[in-house]
Amino acid sequence: MDIFKIQIEGINKESKQLVQKRKIIALLNKAETALPIPVICRGVRISVPTGTKLLNELIEDQIIVEAGKIETDNGRRPVVYKVNPQCGYIVGVEILLKRISVSIFNIEMKEIFEAKDKEFVLENTQDCLAQVLTFIEQCIVSSELETNKFLGVGIGITGRVNAMTGESYNYFNFLENGLTSFISQRLNLPVFIDNDTHVLGISELFFGKAKDARNALVVNLSRGLGLAIIMNGELISGDRGFAGEFGHMQFGDSTKLCICGKRGCLGMEVSGFALEERFKESVENGESSLLLQKNSTDRIRYDSILQAAWQGDALSISLLHEIGIKLGKALGNIVNLLNPGLIILGGKFAIASDILTDSIKSGMTHTALSQPLRSCSIMFSETGADPGLKGAGAQVLYHYGLI
Amino acid sequence: MDIFKIQIEGINKESKQLVQKRKIIALLNKAETALPIPVICRGVRISVPTGTKLLNELIEDQIIVEAGKIETDNGRRPVVYKVNPQCGYIVGVEILLKRISVSIFNIEMKEIFEAKDKEFVLENTQDCLAQVLTFIEQCIVSSELETNKFLGVGIGITGRVNAMTGESYNYFNFLENGLTSFISQRLNLPVFIDNDTHVLGISELFFGKAKDARNALVVNLSRGLGLAIIMNGELISGDRGFAGEFGHMQFGDSTKLCICGKRGCLGMEVSGFALEERFKESVENGESSLLLQKNSTDRIRYDSILQAAWQGDALSISLLHEIGIKLGKALGNIVNLLNPGLIILGGKFAIASDILTDSIKSGMTHTALSQPLRSCSIMFSETGADPGLKGAGAQVLYHYGLI
DNA sequence: TGTAGTTAATAAAAAAATTAATAAACTTGT
DNA sequence: ACAAGTTTATTAATTTTTTTATTAACTACA
């Protein structure tokens, strides 16, 4: 897919036309529907004859295809065009602590191949890296798609990641030139990377509820606690990609020691892990719960507690309320600091929206100023299955300016 | 200055060339030195003949001027060009609680007229607004510059401001269409506005130490406490312009009631106001200070305490240390959240850099994670006089894409 | 059913921009 | 001091793009 790779090159004879071609592709890809020539030409600010010429060349290259005619109120009906869904493919990879998933998307981000939740143990070793690579390679082969049509690989991985340099600090940090350049060389494809929470943010930004918001927070509340910050319509990475370390915000009353070495980290009070701990404590103090009928206390994971809360278990609900209020207080502080128009609660906790929403809101009133609070709405993520995986893949489109 | 106003209009016959002309102007204005034709043409990606043609038209319009020839290692010596400093002027206005300042800058942001620190009381009244307007008008007249050469007015004002809509929420909020459109109509000039802290951030971003930083925090520590956040090289305003309400971060141990109605606001512990309060308390508890020799406790303002600290007064220094540690703790939290590469301490407290720097750093270690902390340096503002005023004016250049 | 009105697409003419060629100005090395 | 090499600046030739004009396709209404 040579046309997508031009942008890096300097000025040459073809460059300007190729830039315009890429603009056409981007316009069509961003548009919800197929577009007619006049609209395309207005969109990229060129005349109809040149636009038509470029479009025909793109059709010749099978990058753009006709999509029939559309109804109009009056006048000749225009032929509309869209990007050929088969013109390019994207690999999305999600590497979590205990499982790895790969999806292959077409250029419209429709999933056309999947190999999800393969059991796996993430370790900072050469061997583990080799496993990841062969799994990705296998998926590409199994998909039976033309290899020269792959545009790139987008990876989401737990831990701290520098999206700019392509380094992963916690895992595979033994590589000299960073993780992306290593994988890129091996697969002979451009590779982009970010951490699991940021990738979730990308998903919300382009496909979820943050689509129309210029300033939003995406909370990733699962076993851990993370935050993706979107400001001025862009994901905020910070200087080294560390932005969003919400779980280590020193805001809690708890004196529990966090793995980071400090006490009072928010993640020790607001997270799936914290929910499990608090559940155990409560049971030890004699409280009862529906969950105890089936399992012993040790085996109860936060997923089960969330489900129990949904089924009406009083203990689980009250624990969730506690968490909601604490999360709300912390978010209120960030609302003062960043004045987001929207907060999206994502991650595994999103299913507990009914129980959490009011407690978060009430927590926020404790800390947030009334003006920024009034202009900030709270929503729960409703993206389809595996939003992180889709966001991981979307990095590729984002870097090509196609989204 | 018609050429600067084109960008708003739609597509017309001249539009494309004017866009290129604006690019040339922007390139020359951003460059430190005057540039020769080949460099300009490479910079805006046009050929030498067209570039020369456009340049000559700009010279005809007196927007660009020749700036002699430069020495080169070999080959014919090129003529270099720069933006005519007299081609356009900018009005910067700073409206604080007790004083108002106006400066007029040329397009290089050199100050060519000033009327600073006029005594004044900011009130939310028609009368006060009229005073502001006549003062600005007077300054424009006194400057004796051609009125048609003014590019716009940039305002910095205390209180909460929506830079996008041009509304000021705390002052002059009785206007129907926002403050900027009102002043714009009266002065017949484009008007841009932001709050005093954001304007300070703009100053650091374009002329100060944040020039080369893509992610920075600018702390405005004077009688109040504010924060300007720069991420991805842009000032973060948030959804309604409220971003940076650092002073109301709920992070303190103090139980003092803040004007916002909450307790525990950081501004009640870290600010000039807080310094005055703590000084009073300490003296009442029997501590001594150099300052007491001259003034009664009631009359001592934070400026004096800062100066006393600089002169070695033990009480003042220890109070500053307290403030520094608290500020550092709060900043550490933000470092975790946003991973800035640079923190600039500006405002009146900047002169106490020697005393504050270590305590801020030690405070940060309490809350910040080691990784983001390591990549974050702390500096003290060293911009010239009235950085806020310069930042206010710079808004105009920023909106024209000339900076 | 036919005509006026509207928009799309194509073809021809005009304008604009680029490349190529050339002249001018300057440095360096012999 | 003068030829060779470099870079800038100007002019001429070629290519590209846009305007303008024309034809095609369709709706609405009489």
Side-chain angles (χ1 to χ4, degrees), chain B residues 17 47 49-50 53 69 73-77:
Chain B
Q17 283 203 355
S47 66
T50 23
K53 187 194 131 212
K69 292 186 178 186
D73 288 350
N74 49 12
R76 175 171 169 175
R77 288 178 180 169

Side-chain angles (χ1 to χ4, degrees), chain A residues 17 46-47 49-50 53 69 73-77:
Chain A
Q17 282 203 356
I46 47 174
S47 65
T50 20
K53 187 195 132 211
K69 292 186 179 185
D73 288 350
N74 48 12
R76 175 172 168 176
R77 288 179 181 170

